[in-house]
């Protein structure tokens, strides 16, 4: 069973999966509010429990949790794992590095599929500084992705879909005046096009 402390440790290791971490850093980041005499005991217990969950007797040690010779701990990114945050980030790293006029249909499809993975804010029940930072970072990335897709569909003449992404942005950030203006323009354009189609 994933206790709160084990969830805390696993979440941190997964979100910072591209490096290993010293036990002192992990203890300070994850249990800064705990009494000093309890911190390392909490960390050691959480590591032991997490290893039991990820690496039961039929799974080789180190398959998912890496331990270095200096005692650092990390997640094994070479393991057979799937992480929604990883899929989301990779899709949009590639998209954001591509100018809208050069983006491919495959990239847009990959991006829209990745966006479906963002169903809620990251780690909603965690209020430690690192969790708040990661939550905000991914939220900004999500809003940026909506803006990109809004601009893409506007430039490709799909005004209805562009407007839909604009409305999504405003549902999260209703103070975006630039999006309000573009959404109004799109709404009026859609009305004009619909009227023309009705006349035809």
């Amino acid at each position: 069973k994933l206790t709160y402390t084990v969830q805390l440790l696993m979440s941190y290791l997964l979100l910072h999966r591209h490096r290993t971490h010293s036990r002192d850093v992990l203890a300070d980041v994850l249990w800064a509010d705990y009494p000093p005499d309890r911190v390392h005991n909490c960390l050691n217990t959480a590591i032991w429990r997490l290893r039991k969950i990820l690496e039961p007797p039929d799974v080789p040690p180190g398959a998912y949790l890496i331990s270095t010779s200096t005692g650092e701990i990390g997640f094994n990114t070479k393991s057979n794992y799937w992480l929604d945050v990883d899929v989301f980030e990779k899709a949009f790293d590639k998209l954001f590095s591509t100018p809208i006029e050069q983006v491919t249909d495959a990239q847009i499809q990959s991006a829209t599929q990745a966006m479906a993975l963002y169903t809620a804010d990251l780690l909603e029940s965690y209020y430690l500084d690192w969790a708040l930072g990661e939550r905000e970072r991914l939220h900004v990335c999500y809003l940026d992705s909506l803006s990109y897709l809004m601009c893409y569909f506007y430039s490709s003449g799909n005004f209805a879909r562009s407007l839909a992404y604009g409305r999504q942005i405003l549902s999260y950030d209703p103070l975006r005046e630039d999006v309000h203006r573009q959404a109004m323009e799109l709404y009026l354009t859609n009305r004009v096009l619909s009227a023309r189609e009705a006349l035809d």
Side-chain angles (χ1 to χ4, degrees):
K1 181 181 178 180
L2 285 177
T3 63
Y4 176 80
T5 55
V6 174
Q7 289 178 349
L8 202 63
L9 175 63
M10 186 169 74
S11 298
Y12 188 86
L13 293 178
L14 284 171
L15 290 169
H16 301 85
R17 60 197 173 278
H18 299 298
R19 63 180 185 271
T20 55
H21 312 271
S22 73
R23 289 173 182 253
D24 286 341
V25 168
L26 288 174
D28 186 55
V29 169
L30 301 178
W31 291 284
D33 296 333
Y34 279 47
D37 59 335
R38 288 189 57 199
V39 170
H40 284 280
N41 184 47
C42 288
L43 175 61
N44 291 334
T45 301
I47 292 172
W48 176 75
R49 287 178 174 169
L50 181 58
R51 196 178 293 281
K52 282 191 68 177
I53 292 168
L54 295 180
E55 298 172 355
D58 58 332
V59 176
Y64 293 98
L65 285 185
I66 300 170
S67 296
T68 69
S69 58
T70 57
E72 293 187 335
I73 304 296
F75 183 78
N76 185 3
T77 56
K78 295 180 180 179
S79 61
N80 182 24
Y81 79 102
W82 183 91
L83 180 64
D84 53 0
V85 172
D86 186 51
V87 175
F88 182 82
E89 288 178 328
K90 285 178 178 176
F92 286 104
D93 282 347
K94 188 173 182 180
L95 191 68
F96 293 153
S97 64
T98 306
I100 285 178
E101 61 273 12
Q102 296 176 17
V103 72
T104 65
D105 290 342
Q107 284 177 279
I108 294 298
Q109 182 178 4
S110 175
T112 53
Q113 289 173 345
M115 286 184 68
L117 298 173
Y118 192 99
T119 57
D121 286 340
L122 180 74
L123 301 174
E124 288 184 298
S125 60
Y126 295 76
Y127 297 98
L128 297 174
D129 287 344
W130 68 269
L132 293 171
E134 287 295 299
R135 186 182 308 155
E136 178 63 17
R137 181 181 67 82
L138 286 174
H139 184 69
V140 169
C141 181
Y142 180 68
L143 290 177
D144 287 346
S145 67
L146 290 172
S147 296
Y148 187 103
L149 292 172
M150 181 182 183
C151 292
Y152 168 79
F153 285 108
Y154 178 84
S155 66
S156 63
N158 191 336
F159 301 126
R161 196 161 182 188
S162 180
L163 179 59
Y165 282 115
R167 286 173 172 160
Q168 278 187 262
I169 296 170
L170 294 174
S171 70
Y172 285 100
D173 190 358
L175 299 180
R176 287 281 299 272
E177 292 185 10
D178 59 325
V179 178
H180 274 292
R181 286 193 297 270
Q182 193 167 359
M184 287 289 290
E185 179 186 337
L186 286 164
Y187 177 75
L188 292 172
T189 302
N190 275 330
R191 290 289 299 270
V192 170
L193 291 174
S194 297
R196 287 178 179 172
E197 289 175 1
L199 290 172
D200 291 341

